[in-house]
């Protein structure tokens, strides 16, 4: 949508849609299950909604996503960055799971292989699996904390 020959920003677009349907910020906030301050923040371009909320806004105003977001390059960029961040978070979660399972697998393998004494009285055991197991568990723990901190930061 255009305003005065230029592309209309997302905030102006939401405000125009809201006022054209004679909705107050409070009424729109109730429909979208957010606070009135959130609507105000969008309309004044202090922040932008995430993709899930953009879909809800489009449904509320019976618009396609193209009609709602493609006119605003800031919104398009934000949604692309959100998508990239979500992909990174998913990879981080997979790395956490793989590292943790590999660490536990090392301990299990150590127990399965066990130890033995040969005829010369030399002990044979896969002792190297223990530090490797701890290393993988530590890496999984670090990766898991990284995932949690990013997830918490994204919420706030």
């Amino acid at each position: 949508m255009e305003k005065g020959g230029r592309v209309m920003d997302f905030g102006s677009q939401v405000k125009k849609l809201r006022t054209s349907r004679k909705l107050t910020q409070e009424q729109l906030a109730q429909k979208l299950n957010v606070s009135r301050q959130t609507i105000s923040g969008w309309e004044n371009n202090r922040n932008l909604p995430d993709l899930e909320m953009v879909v809800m806004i489009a449904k509320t105003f019976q618009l396609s996503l193209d009609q709602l977001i493609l006119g605003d390059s800031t919104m398009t960029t934000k949604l692309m960055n959100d998508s990239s961040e979500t992909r990174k978070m998913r990879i981080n979660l997979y790395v956490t799971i793989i590292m943790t399972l590999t660490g536990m697998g090392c301990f299990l393998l150590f127990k399965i292989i066990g130890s033995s004494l040969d005829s010369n009285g030399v002990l044979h055991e896969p002792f190297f699996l223990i530090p490797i197991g701890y290393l993988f568990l530590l890496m999984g723990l670090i990766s898991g904390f990284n995932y949690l901190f990013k997830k918490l930061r994204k919420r706030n």
Side-chain angles (χ1 to χ4, degrees), residues 41-58:
W42 296 339
E43 290 183 359
N44 293 304
N45 294 309
R46 285 191 302 267
N47 51 48
L48 293 168
D50 61 16
L51 181 58
E52 185 178 336
M53 187 54 63
V54 172
V55 171
M56 287 180 64
I57 293 168

Side-chain angles (χ1 to χ4, degrees), residues 11-140:
S12 299
Q13 198 162 337
V14 169
K15 185 173 186 172
K16 181 180 176 190
L17 289 166
R18 176 181 63 77
T19 56
S20 71
R21 286 165 176 78
K22 298 183 181 5
L23 293 171
T24 64
Q25 286 182 342
E26 186 66 41
Q27 290 168 328
L28 179 57
Q30 287 175 354
K31 285 180 178 280
L32 298 174
N33 200 24
V34 296
S35 68
R36 185 204 57 77
Q37 291 81 1
T38 299
I39 302 295
S40 175
W42 296 339
E43 290 183 359
N44 293 304
N45 294 309
R46 285 191 302 267
N47 51 48
L48 293 168
D50 61 16
L51 181 58
E52 185 178 336
M53 187 54 63
V54 172
V55 171
M56 287 180 64
I57 293 168
K59 284 182 179 179
T60 299
F61 291 121
Q62 298 174 339
L63 297 171
S64 71
L65 287 174
D66 288 351
Q67 292 171 304
L68 186 60
I69 65 173
L70 288 182
D72 182 13
S73 62
T74 307
M75 175 55 85
T76 305
T77 302
K78 182 199 183 293
L79 292 175
M80 288 170 49
N81 288 342
D82 283 355
S83 173
S84 174
E85 194 63 32
T86 300
R87 194 174 318 116
K88 287 177 189 173
M89 294 271 296
R90 191 175 305 127
I91 290 169
N92 191 303
L93 180 61
Y94 294 150
V95 167
T96 298
I97 292 169
I98 290 168
M99 293 290 183
T100 304
L101 290 175
T102 302
M104 291 189 308
C106 285
F107 294 121
L108 183 63
L109 195 56
F110 177 80
K111 280 294 187 189
I112 290 172
I113 294 173
S115 58
S116 62
L117 280 173
D118 66 11
S119 60
N120 296 327
V122 176
L123 179 65
H124 295 278
E125 66 179 1
F127 64 91
F128 62 90
L129 288 173
I130 298 298
I132 291 173
Y134 280 121
L135 178 64
F136 275 107
L137 284 179
L138 179 64
M139 290 188 316

